[in-house]
Amino acid sequence: MKRILMVWFLGVGLCLAGTSNGFAAKQKTKHSPRNVKKNSKYRGSSVRKKTRRKARRYRRRYKKRTRRGKRTRRYRVRRKSSRRYRRKSRRYKRRARSRRYRSRRYKRRARSRRWLRSRKRRRWLSRRKKRLRGRKVAQATPKAAPSVPLNAYKLPAREDAQEPQRSLADIMKVVKRNNLDLKILRERVVQAELIRAKTWAMLKPNFSLQGSYTRNEVEVSFGTTVITPINQAVFQAKVQWAFLNFRAIPLLQLAYRTVDQVGQTAKQVRRELLYATTRAYYGVLLSDGFVDISRESLKNAYENLRIAKARLQEGAAPSLLVTRAELDVVKAKRSLIQARVSLRNTKLALAMLLNKSNYKFRPVRPTAPQLPSGSLQDWTKKAMSRRAECKAAKIAVDIAQKRVNELWMQYLPTVALVGSFQKTNFGGLADRDTQWSLTLVAQLNLYDGGARHANLADAHSKYRQASLEYKKAKRQVQNEISQVRLNLKNTKQSLKVAKKQLDLAQRSYKITQERLKANSATPIEVSEALALVNASKIGYLREKLNYELALLNVKRVLGEFKTR
């Protein structure tokens, strides 16, 4: 019996322990975050309670506000408060949902943390790394490229290949024939030459004729002699000649010197205009050289692209080499387009000097000018004797002196001879219808209110001004000679440096190209070497043309620049 009771108590105890453990486990799983979604009883209960409390608070608050409001507007205020309450309640409901979503997000994050620490993820990462490594290897291996023939890339033909060639001498002829500034200058020379004819008119006789007809009311007569007829006609001829005019002598000299001065000024303007034409022609030469250099650069870029594609086809180079070569081709094409635009603009600038809307031609490289011999002092003497500015300034001093002499001649008398002949259709008291006379007139102006004295002082001042301007012109010529000599020296040194830089750049490019064929040069090195060669060629061409222009400028300053 005792044994039976012990077994029974043991069984009851074990049953009670199992039920308590199951209830605890059930409570634990019920409140665990994994089973929150499954139990609708505990889902968001605390959130609902808080929402209800806040809704009650807002209801009380809005009721108090409606009681405080005015009676006339009580209904409207209540309507407004009810709307606000609805809005607030909706807002709190949304917040409650967001809190639920946040709790779900927290669970997802917890799962993701467990996933990051799991062994399964490590296996997945290892498999993914192997796949990525296989892709990189596949990308690094060169793709099969189509075979590139040697003549696959051809340069486009020049746009001005069919245009006629024009030398600098041909351009000069067109400028002298069509330039508007030179035409205006010729008219100024013609006007200056007419001053001499106007001055000679002061020493030449003046001849005039005069006739008149008068209808009188009655005829006046004395006996048979008619003094004043009804129809009266008179014809008169008059000659006046100031054969002794001392003012005319300096005025004639002044007219001739003025013509010389205008001629020297015209030479100066013509020389500057033709030098500007030469500079514009050299600008066309420079732009034409840019086009040739750009074409050669494009040719080199095509060659590099062909080599890069061949190396890629062989599997000895990466695809980056081909990409860089294609980029160099695009840059070379862009440089060629810019050079063509620059060539068109320089031709339009030259066409403006030729008085044409457009002038199509291909420039021809002129022979390089020679440096004038002699020292700095010899150059100064040549410039003083040949420069049109110095001659014009010296003539201006002579003209000012002639004006002073002309004013002094106003103090001398003027002698003139006046002759007249008259014929009428009536005899008059003398009973003669013809009559003539000859008069010798001498005139001396003693006092004119001080005008001559003031004019004389003004002429002396202008003479001093002309002398100072002549000295200034000589000083300016000396400074220009020093400047062009220094500019010539600097240009010569720059030309030597540009030549050396071009040689080094070409040597470097050849070495880089050989390294590219041997697959030991990077694409960046090839692009830099090609760009350096192009820049060196452009710099050398520019310095060479600048040196020739500097020589022509020396001739212009010395007065040896040919304008005819």
Side-chain angles (χ1 to χ4, degrees), residues 421-455:
F421 174 78
Q422 184 175 352
K423 182 175 178 56
T424 59
N425 61 347
F426 59 95
L429 293 175
D431 197 16
R432 293 182 61 184
D433 57 351
T434 60
Q435 184 180 0
W436 64 272
S437 64
L438 188 63
T439 307
L440 186 65
V441 180
Q443 183 180 359
L444 178 62
N445 193 359
L446 297 178
Y447 182 71
D448 58 354
R452 282 180 298 183
H453 181 70
N455 292 336

Side-chain angles (χ1 to χ4, degrees), residues 412-562:
L412 299 178
T414 301
V415 181
L417 184 65
V418 181
S420 63
F421 174 78
Q422 184 175 352
K423 182 175 178 56
T424 59
N425 61 347
F426 59 95
L429 293 175
D431 197 16
R432 293 182 61 184
D433 57 351
T434 60
Q435 184 180 0
W436 64 272
S437 64
L438 188 63
T439 307
L440 186 65
V441 180
Q443 183 180 359
L444 178 62
N445 193 359
L446 297 178
Y447 182 71
D448 58 354
R452 282 180 298 183
H453 181 70
N455 292 336
L456 190 61
D458 182 58
H460 278 292
S461 176
K462 288 182 179 179
Y463 172 73
R464 292 191 296 271
Q465 179 184 352
S467 302
L468 293 174
E469 287 178 353
Y470 177 56
K471 291 181 180 179
K472 180 182 176 181
K474 291 196 294 184
R475 178 61 63 187
Q476 188 173 358
V477 168
Q478 292 176 359
N479 292 341
E480 285 183 2
I481 291 172
S482 301
Q483 288 177 1
V484 297
R485 191 181 182 90
L486 183 61
N487 186 26
L488 182 65
K489 186 177 179 180
N490 295 336
T491 308
K492 193 173 182 180
Q493 292 177 355
S494 300
L495 180 61
K496 290 181 180 178
V497 173
K499 176 64 176 174
K500 189 174 181 180
Q501 182 181 358
L502 178 61
D503 295 339
L504 293 175
Q506 287 178 345
R507 191 186 310 169
S508 173
Y509 179 68
K510 288 180 181 178
I511 295 172
T512 309
Q513 215 169 18
E514 295 296 331
R515 289 178 59 201
L516 176 65
K517 292 179 181 178
N519 199 20
S520 61
T522 61
I524 298 176
E525 291 178 353
V526 177
S527 301
E528 289 179 353
L530 183 59
L532 184 60
V533 168
N534 297 335
S536 301
K537 286 180 180 179
I538 291 172
Y540 176 69
L541 178 63
R542 183 182 286 112
E543 293 299 333
K544 194 172 184 179
L545 294 179
N546 286 341
Y547 180 69
E548 294 182 6
L549 280 175
L551 291 175
L552 292 174
N553 194 21
V554 170
K555 290 190 173 184
R556 179 189 69 85
V557 171
L558 296 182
E560 297 180 357
F561 188 74
K562 294 181 180 180

Side-chain angles (χ1 to χ4, degrees), residues 351-363:
M352 180 65 186
L353 295 173
L354 302 178
N355 192 21
K356 292 187 176 183
S357 59
N358 194 7
Y359 193 64
K360 297 182 178 181
F361 70 99
R362 287 197 65 181

Side-chain angles (χ1 to χ4, degrees), residues 156-423:
R158 287 195 56 145
E159 296 179 351
D160 54 353
Q162 304 298 328
E163 295 177 0
Q165 293 185 346
R166 293 286 184 269
S167 62
L168 182 59
D170 300 335
I171 298 296
M172 289 292 186
K173 290 178 183 178
V174 178
V175 167
K176 292 174 185 177
R177 185 173 62 250
N178 297 338
N179 188 264
L180 296 177
D181 294 332
L182 289 180
K183 290 182 179 180
I184 294 171
L185 199 60
R186 293 189 197 108
E187 296 300 326
R188 288 180 181 174
V189 173
V190 171
Q191 295 170 11
E193 289 177 351
L194 294 175
I195 297 175
R196 290 182 294 184
K198 294 177 183 179
T199 309
W200 272 110
M202 297 177 63
L203 294 175
K204 293 179 181 180
N206 298 330
F207 181 74
S208 62
L209 295 175
Q210 184 178 0
S212 63
Y213 170 77
T214 306
R215 173 76 178 179
N216 297 316
E217 185 180 358
V218 294
E219 182 180 305
V220 179
S221 60
F222 183 75
T224 59
T225 304
V226 178
I227 299 174
T228 305
I230 295 176
N231 297 315
Q232 181 182 353
V234 179
F235 174 75
Q236 185 178 7
K238 187 176 181 180
V239 177
Q240 185 176 358
W241 180 29
F243 62 92
L244 187 60
N245 188 358
F246 295 99
R247 288 186 59 198
I249 299 172
L251 286 177
L252 278 173
Q253 295 175 349
L254 189 65
Y256 278 93
R257 298 303 286 169
T258 303
V259 173
D260 295 339
Q261 184 186 22
V262 172
Q264 295 298 328
T265 306
K267 284 183 181 179
Q268 176 190 355
V269 175
R270 188 184 298 112
R271 183 197 67 203
E272 296 295 332
L273 182 61
L274 295 181
Y275 181 70
T277 305
T278 305
R279 288 180 63 90
Y281 189 81
Y282 270 84
V284 175
L285 280 174
L286 183 61
S287 300
D288 189 73
F290 286 170
V291 172
D292 293 337
I293 292 171
S294 300
R295 285 170 57 82
E296 189 173 356
S297 173
L298 183 59
K299 181 180 178 182
N300 294 334
Y302 277 145
E303 179 65 19
N304 292 338
L305 180 60
R306 187 189 66 79
I307 294 171
K309 287 192 174 182
R311 300 294 293 172
L312 181 64
Q313 183 180 356
E314 294 171 1
S319 60
L320 177 62
L321 185 62
V322 178
T323 306
R324 293 290 303 195
E326 290 175 351
L327 180 60
D328 292 339
V329 170
V330 173
K331 288 181 180 179
K333 287 182 179 179
R334 182 183 177 188
S335 300
L336 181 58
I337 293 171
Q338 291 176 352
R340 287 174 178 173
V341 172
S342 176
L343 181 60
R344 293 193 201 103
N345 292 336
T346 51
K347 284 185 179 180
L348 287 175
L350 184 60
M352 180 65 186
L353 295 173
L354 302 178
N355 192 21
K356 292 187 176 183
S357 59
N358 194 7
Y359 193 64
K360 297 182 178 181
F361 70 99
R362 287 197 65 181
V364 180
R365 185 73 175 272
T367 57
Q370 299 296 327
L371 179 65
S373 60
S375 61
L376 185 61
Q377 296 179 355
D378 297 336
W379 285 8
T380 305
K381 290 179 182 179
K382 285 182 183 179
M384 292 297 176
S385 59
R386 295 179 181 180
R387 284 284 291 268
E389 296 94 322
C390 295
K391 292 181 179 179
K394 192 173 182 180
I395 292 172
V397 176
D398 197 9
I399 289 173
Q401 182 62 44
K402 294 292 186 292
R403 289 190 184 277
V404 173
N405 298 337
E406 187 265 333
L407 288 171
W408 278 113
M409 291 298 174
Q410 291 183 7
Y411 288 95
L412 299 178
T414 301
V415 181
L417 184 65
V418 181
S420 63
F421 174 78
Q422 184 175 352
K423 182 175 178 56

